[in-house]
Amino acid sequence: MKKTLILQAPAKINIGLWVKHKRADGFHELASIMQTISLADTVTLKEIGEPGIHIFCDHPDVPLDSTNLVHRAATIFLEKFSIEPRLAINIDKKIPVAAGLAGGSTDAAAVFAGLARMYDKPITIPDLMAMAAHIGSDVPFVLHGGLALAEGRGEILKFYEPPRPPLAVVIAVPVGVKVSTRWAYENYVPGNNQVKEEAFSRILEFFRHRDLDSLRRVIFNDLESVTLHRHPEVEKIKQLLASTGEGVVLMSGSGPSVFGLFHDRKSAIRAVKALHGEPVNVFIEHIARKNLQ
Ligand code: ATP
């Protein structure tokens, strides 16, 4: 009988992003605290009779050809196990595209996890993680999910228990602002790493203890210096979302998404009121304990 699997593919936010320096291989050495959130795409895998990998998604910015990360993930997996591709992949896109929320990476991670289940392949977690790293540096994290300190290019991961009870998260995505991750890194000018090390070392502890007042004082995302300079509207969204004084507000990844952490949904809703009338898409979510799959 032909199988169908329905998978949840959650987004991530960066609770702090420290870009240390550019390495000899051209990548940047990073430190970031990554946290899964409840905002998720739904990825459906279906075995079909027709040969090939067929992608369906009605979001205009998501490619349907072999450049889609789900296509690349399925190809790597099926080749490894010499399985002839006869697969339909449907992506119900809820995560804003090219927004710094790892939308493509999490879809790819869902495909790896789903195919391992669909074809009942005895594959170890480290093997799965290694395959995931071929697609992009965020993919190993989103495959596992939860809370992690990510180092190296983002692929060296140390996992932690996320804070409890879960913090509320507001995601605010300015409409019409496009940021290329590559552009942001290429234009980043490194700052004083000694000062940053001191601040960064405290972020995880304050976040895990839900100590938002202390977290607000140390949290930073180095790529804000690039993205906010080019797109002042992102800075404005940050200021508005922070205006109740209750949240911790930061840009995620290379942007343009801005997130706010709040103790509860009520304070998140109060903060969102300040965004009324702005050209921004808003989601009120919460941090998630692990990948929802
Ligand atoms: P990151 O936070 O990992 O840097 P992002 O959230 O900024 O990623 P994505 O949503 O993954 O960015 O999209 C980046 C580009 O990748 C899009 O412009 C799109 O053309 C392409 N892409 C390929 N596969 C997908 C997918 N499954 N979903 C969304 N975009 C995809």
Side-chain angles (χ1 to χ4, degrees):
M1 204 182 72
K2 292 197 171 36
K3 289 184 195 158
T4 297
L5 275 184
I6 300 172
L7 306 142
Q8 292 299 302
K12 64 84 187 152
I13 52 175
N14 299 84
I15 316 281
L17 176 57
W18 174 19
V19 184
K20 295 184 181 176
H21 55 85
K22 193 167 180 176
R23 313 191 313 193
D25 63 6
F27 290 102
H28 286 82
E29 187 69 22
L30 308 176
S32 177
I33 291 154
M34 318 260 272
Q35 171 67 59
T36 303
I37 59 171
S38 51
L39 178 65
D41 293 343
T42 303
V43 177
T44 305
L45 303 179
K46 205 180 250 179
E47 279 185 297
I48 53 172
E50 201 186 324
I53 298 167
H54 306 270
I55 299 171
F56 301 88
C57 180
D58 58 13
H59 192 297
D61 297 334
V62 174
L64 301 178
D65 59 10
S66 60
T67 63
N68 193 306
L69 298 187
V70 299
H71 194 289
R72 292 181 52 203
T75 304
I76 290 177
F77 185 96
L78 297 174
E79 275 177 5
K80 182 177 168 80
F81 293 103
S82 306
I83 300 168
E84 194 197 345
R86 288 174 184 275
L87 197 62
I89 306 175
N90 186 77
I91 306 169
D92 182 6
K93 200 83 198 152
K94 294 279 184 318
I95 305 171
V97 176
L101 300 170
S105 301
T106 193
D107 295 347
V111 167
F112 279 125
L115 291 180
R117 217 190 307 160
M118 183 175 252
Y119 294 107
D120 203 13
K121 287 297 170 194
I123 183 161
T124 64
I125 298 290
D127 271 357
L128 208 52
M129 293 294 233
M131 276 200 273
H134 279 293
I135 306 277
S137 32
D138 285 346
V139 187
F141 169 73
V142 284
L143 187 62
H144 183 289
L147 169 65
L149 169 64
E151 291 181 290
R153 287 168 54 187
E155 81 290 10
I156 304 166
L157 298 167
K158 195 167 171 197
F159 287 93
Y160 296 86
E161 273 295 298
R164 269 179 92 78
L167 293 160
V169 182
V170 173
I171 302 290
V173 190
V175 175
V177 181
K178 295 265 175 260
V179 177
S180 138
T181 303
R182 172 186 277 229
W183 165 83
Y185 278 102
E186 278 174 2
N187 286 282
Y188 175 67
V189 181
N192 184 337
N193 274 340
Q194 236 174 335
V195 174
K196 289 179 186 174
E197 178 145 33
E198 167 73 25
F200 190 85
S201 65
R202 312 182 68 183
I203 294 176
L204 184 62
E205 180 198 330
F206 291 148
F207 175 65
R208 292 190 69 201
H209 288 104
R210 305 175 98 255
D211 181 354
L212 298 186
D213 289 334
S214 302
L215 182 62
R216 194 180 298 115
R217 284 198 290 274
V218 295
I219 200 166
F220 67 93
N221 174 348
D222 275 336
L223 296 179
E224 284 190 344
S225 61
V226 186
T227 304
L228 302 191
H229 184 71
R230 169 72 74 88
H231 302 286
E233 58 273 53
V234 182
E235 173 70 49
K236 184 177 179 202
I237 301 296
K238 273 191 72 185
Q239 284 175 10
L240 290 170
L241 192 57
S243 59
T244 57
E246 293 182 284
V248 172
V249 176
L250 195 73
M251 190 178 82
S252 185
S254 52
S257 292
V258 167
F259 69 83
L261 300 171
F262 298 87
H263 276 126
D264 49 46
R265 204 176 152 84
K266 276 188 185 158
S267 52
I269 291 169
R270 272 196 295 274
V272 162
K273 288 193 177 130
L275 296 173
H276 189 74
E278 294 296 322
V280 68
N281 287 318
V282 175
F283 304 82
I284 302 178
E285 302 285 334
H286 57 82
I287 62 166
R289 291 183 64 67
K290 59 180 171 60
N291 197 323
L292 303 180
Q293 295 169 58

